Amino acid sequence: AQSVAQPEDQVNVAEGNPLTVKCTYSVSGNPYLFWYVQYPNRGLQFLLKYITGDNLVKGSYGFEAEFNKSQTSFHLKKPSALVSDSALYFCASGGFQKLVFGTGTRLLVSP
Amino acid sequence: KAGVTQTPRYLIKTRGQQVTLSCSPISGHRSVSWYQQTPGQGLQFLFEYFSETQRNKGNFPGRFSGRQFSNSRSEMNVSTLELGDSALYLCASSFGTEVSGANVLTFGAGSRLTVL
């Protein structure tokens, strides 16, 4: 069975500071990993995905994620946070025609 | 281009009733997936359809069903509603043709169901 874990319910960061949202995975075989973001009263929006290749994946809105096979992690990062980045972030693993989501991490960026 | 459209956006039902939710995917997308989002259980996969065929189903009781039409539009139905069915139901579409598990999903805004 595959699973992803997001150990932090909430991450607080000041605007302009770097941010990291953590995700670890448990997948047999090659993992397909995703990050999605959800704004209030909205569906999920795709940020980036890792299929194979470079361990550093660049995505939308200045976000990037680092795939680390030895640590089974796929942390989401951004060099400089914006207040508008405040939202709920989900890590997910791709399974057979479905996604398995983590529990989500709420990111709060203060001015 | 138009995104994934879900209707209705909000609805209130009482226990024992049934409900049908609709999803229109992005033009050209042949795969439609449904997810249930609740505060307690998070995001859980319900089922996925591709070209009118269900390819995968999550661990939900038989009261939850779905179908897909020839134009790729999809509906899901929940019969004999229970209080615990209150949730945000999200539909997502994709081309569905990448390696299994690698498809990028585009989500609709969801249908928020409240069961009283």
Side-chain angles (χ1 to χ4, degrees):
Chain A
Q2 60 185 119
S3 64
V4 293
Q6 295 180 244
E8 301 158 316
D9 289 337
Q10 184 166 307
V11 170
N12 298 306
V13 65
E15 188 174 33
N17 284 357
L19 68 89
T20 299
V21 182
K22 296 180 180 178
C23 172
T24 59
Y25 66 90
S26 176
V27 174
S28 57
N30 295 322
Y32 299 144
L33 300 169
F34 300 78
W35 277 100
Y36 284 82
V37 60
Q38 186 175 34
Y39 296 98
N41 300 315
R42 303 274 295 276
L44 278 71
Q45 297 179 29
F46 168 75
L47 283 177
L48 50 82
K49 71 175 181 180
Y50 172 83
I51 303 299
T52 186
D54 290 340
N55 290 340
L56 185 63
V57 180
K58 293 190 181 297
S60 306
Y61 313 119
F63 284 94
E64 58 189 28
E66 185 173 7
F67 173 73
N68 188 315
K69 188 173 183 178
S70 63
Q71 297 184 6
T72 62
S73 66
F74 189 58
H75 300 333
L76 181 70
K77 299 181 179 184
K78 188 174 182 181
S80 179
L82 299 173
V83 172
S84 57
D85 291 331
S86 298
L88 188 56
Y89 290 80
F90 290 95
C91 180
S93 170
F96 179 66
Q97 307 306 343
K98 71 176 185 180
L99 290 176
V100 175
F101 286 92
T103 51
T105 298
R106 187 164 300 281
L107 173 66
L108 290 178
V109 182
S110 55
Chain B
K1 57 182 178 180
V4 177
T5 303
Q6 291 189 246
T7 56
R9 288 292 313 277
Y10 302 91
L11 65 165
I12 300 174
K13 294 286 187 178
T14 57
R15 282 179 297 175
Q17 287 187 310
Q18 74 166 7
V19 66
T20 299
L21 308 178
S22 179
C23 174
S24 293
I26 287 175
S27 178
H29 284 186
R30 294 164 63 190
S31 169
V32 173
S33 307
W34 289 89
Y35 290 81
Q36 181 196 63
Q37 185 177 21
T38 60
Q41 299 298 317
L43 280 156
Q44 293 189 289
F45 170 76
L46 283 156
F47 23 67
E48 189 262 359
Y49 289 87
F50 181 84
S51 293
E52 302 179 69
T53 299
Q54 185 182 89
R55 294 196 295 189
N56 198 3
K57 186 179 188 301
N59 189 25
F60 278 82
R63 300 186 296 106
F64 291 80
S65 63
R67 60 178 175 169
Q68 186 181 33
F69 303 95
S70 58
N71 61 358
S72 294
R73 191 178 69 85
S74 176
E75 289 181 347
M76 67 163 284
N77 183 277
V78 187
S79 62
T80 318
L81 285 166
E82 301 177 359
L83 295 179
D85 297 333
S86 294
L88 180 65
Y89 290 88
L90 293 166
C91 167
S93 74
S94 74
F95 290 108
T97 53
E98 291 195 48
V99 172
S100 179
N103 291 283
V104 172
L105 304 187
T106 302
F107 284 82
S111 293
R112 183 166 296 281
L113 171 65
T114 301
V115 181
L116 301 177

